[in-house]
Amino acid sequence: MIGSSVSVRTRSWIVLYLGLLTASPAAYAANCPGHPDALGTSRTLVVDPRAHPRIGTMQYRETLPLKDHEVVLTFDDGPLPKYSNQVLQILADECIKATFFIIGEQAKANPEGVRKLVAAGHTVGTHSMNHPLTFDRMPIDKAEAQINGGIEWTSAAMTDPSALAPFFRIPGLMRAEGVENYLISRGIQVWSADFPADDWRHVSSDRVYQLAIQRLEAKGKGILLLHDIQARTVAALPKIIRDLKARGYRIVHVVPATADRPATPTEPVEWLLHPPSEAVPIARWPSVPNFVFAQTRTLPAPNLADLNALPAYQSPLPHRAKALADVAATLPVPDRDLFAIPEGSLEVLLSTTLSRRAATRMAAAEAPSGHKGKIAASSHKRQAAHAVPAAKRAKGTAPRPTRIASLKKRPPQQQ
């Protein structure tokens, strides 16, 4: 009887689980009394901040382990009663649970707004004390003051401070490694997003709606970043929810794990926005690890003599070339007088400009008689080329003396 009852309960749990997976939006709306057409919240995802400390593919590798067509709604910068209360009512009419990142100054000025969020069942995280856009270059002590101030005032606004989730979003997504390390050391999960709707810019509500749907359709699932302090967000939110419902999207509520509420079982690959598939090739080669050598001592390289001493060593040179190389290695060094040039020889005279004429006369004296005439004729031609014509000297104009400056190297003329 015990075994049969256990099997019946097991089958009932399986049927219930499968029913939740295949449930239609109408089934989620059934849990929203008075609103039969509500989108509703499909499931609650429990996460362990320490196991996955950074999420959101706008900046990090991992994101929430969502299934296709699942969306997490997040709102920053509140509470601001004029607009935050309207956002809260829109979500209540659709029975949607979202995540809010509170600014400490806002919680200090509007503590009732924080308590409304908690009472409605939403997840409440923090967003610094006064939203500085300098976290990426702020000294770590000032960043810690901003983080702690936001946590202090947000938790102080709550009836039960333990309701504060260990979730933090850096203002402006101006991430810095030191800030992230500090948050992670305290067990606080750093949230980015998967896509924004740009509702903090000066754009129309229709543009906010279009960007939210277009970017969601491009990724198929993920964390949507909105702000509950903007009039354009209040105007765009009903249209966003209407399109999510029409396109078959489902809302997921995220809460932190506690001792009484364990994390939802997941696989590491589920925390990737697009997990690798057996049918899709990997576009990047895996990174090569940095090897660390245990010892830096190196072995000495063998000398050539050591190689010759080995009986198995064979010279790469042919036998004849090797014999010639051995003979060349034993040739005597040439005497220095072999390369000496006698002083006053023709080669020395030709090496200087002033002795070229003397060298020419020496060559003419040593040449046979038939060549003497040719050498003398060429010498006369050179002298005639450099001589001043007698007709010019006869005109009575004495040649101008050559200036010393003219002997200097003149700069080349511009073409």
Side-chain angles (χ1 to χ4, degrees):
M1 294 295 292
I2 296 177
S4 62
S5 62
V6 171
S7 63
V8 169
R9 287 198 299 270
T10 303
R11 284 197 299 270
S12 64
W13 278 109
I14 293 174
V15 171
L16 177 61
Y17 179 73
L18 293 176
L20 290 175
L21 290 180
T22 59
S24 62
Y28 308 136
N31 297 324
C32 192
H35 301 277
D37 297 329
L39 177 56
T41 300
S42 64
R43 69 184 178 110
T44 299
L45 176 65
V46 185
V47 299
D48 182 0
R50 295 184 181 274
H52 300 275
R54 302 177 181 91
I55 57 171
T57 54
M58 284 184 67
Q59 294 174 298
Y60 307 118
R61 179 174 179 267
E62 289 189 335
T63 188
L64 292 172
L66 303 176
K67 298 178 177 62
D68 186 48
H69 275 64
E70 287 189 337
V71 185
V72 173
L73 297 182
T74 63
F75 296 88
D76 289 4
D77 297 356
L80 189 64
K82 181 178 180 179
Y83 301 115
S84 298
N85 289 340
Q86 297 182 63
V87 170
L88 195 60
Q89 186 60 52
I90 294 171
L91 297 178
D93 292 342
E94 295 288 341
C95 288
I96 291 174
K97 298 295 187 290
T99 301
F100 289 80
F101 293 94
I102 305 301
I103 293 180
E105 290 285 356
Q106 300 282 51
K108 181 180 179 181
N110 307 292
E112 184 61 27
V114 178
R115 289 191 285 270
K116 285 182 178 180
L117 293 174
V118 176
H122 298 290
T123 300
V124 177
T126 54
H127 197 42
S128 80
M129 184 61 190
N130 50 29
H131 201 283
L133 295 176
T134 55
F135 264 81
D136 57 336
R137 55 187 183 276
M138 184 184 296
I140 191 62
D141 56 338
K142 292 186 178 181
E144 292 177 8
Q146 281 287 333
I147 294 168
N148 296 333
I151 293 173
E152 177 184 352
W153 282 103
T154 303
S155 60
M158 296 178 173
T159 305
D160 180 11
S162 65
L164 180 63
F167 298 162
F168 184 87
R169 180 174 276 159
I170 300 174
L173 303 182
M174 309 298 288
R175 61 179 295 266
E177 187 175 356
V179 175
E180 293 170 353
N181 291 338
Y182 173 72
L183 290 165
I184 293 169
S185 68
R186 293 187 54 181
I188 300 175
Q189 191 174 48
V190 184
W191 281 54
S192 180
D194 293 316
F195 51 93
D198 293 4
D199 58 338
W200 69 91
R201 301 182 186 276
H202 296 290
V203 297
S204 65
S205 60
D206 283 337
R207 185 57 179 162
V208 173
Y209 152 72
Q210 292 168 4
L211 290 174
I213 298 301
Q214 289 173 4
R215 291 169 177 173
L216 173 58
E217 287 281 84
K219 293 199 171 184
K221 59 180 180 180
I223 305 168
L224 173 59
L225 171 58
L226 296 168
H227 296 77
D228 61 322
I229 63 169
Q230 301 289 348
R232 62 181 69 93
T233 308
V234 174
L237 188 57
K239 293 185 288 185
I240 294 174
I241 295 174
R242 181 196 65 206
D243 251 29
L244 294 178
K245 190 188 313 178
R247 296 170 187 264
Y249 285 92
R250 302 177 301 278
I251 300 297
V252 175
H253 183 210
V254 184
V255 297
T258 62
D260 301 327
R261 185 173 55 194
T264 302
T266 57
E267 296 294 332
V269 71
E270 297 180 54
W271 292 79
L272 303 177
L273 184 65
H274 298 295
S277 171
E278 294 181 358
V280 179
I282 298 176
R284 299 184 301 273
W285 288 99
S287 59
V288 179
N290 294 324
F291 293 100
V292 178
F293 295 95
Q295 297 181 356
T296 58
R297 183 174 59 86
T298 58
L299 296 175
N303 294 324
L304 186 60
D306 298 333
L307 296 176
N308 289 332
L310 297 177
Y313 172 75
Q314 298 291 334
S315 174
L317 297 174
H319 293 292
R320 183 176 180 182
K322 184 175 183 303
L324 293 175
D326 294 339
V327 171
T330 60
L331 290 176
V333 178
D335 190 80
R336 182 174 297 179
D337 295 340
L338 182 64
F339 302 101
I341 300 176
E343 188 68 26
S345 63
L346 179 62
E347 290 81 2
V348 174
L349 292 175
L350 286 175
S351 64
T352 59
T353 304
L354 297 178
S355 302
R356 285 176 183 170
R357 293 183 180 179
T360 303
R361 288 195 298 270
M362 182 182 296
E366 295 177 355
S369 59
H371 296 281
K372 291 181 181 180
K374 295 181 180 180
I375 297 175
S378 62
S379 177
H380 287 308
K381 288 181 180 180
R382 287 194 297 270
Q383 292 176 4
H386 294 285
V388 180
K392 291 185 178 181
R393 273 193 231 135
K395 291 182 180 180
T397 57
R400 291 186 303 173
T402 303
R403 296 180 181 179
I404 299 300
S406 64
L407 297 179
K408 298 181 179 179
K409 186 177 181 180
R410 297 177 182 177
Q413 297 180 356
Q414 300 293 329
Q415 297 296 328

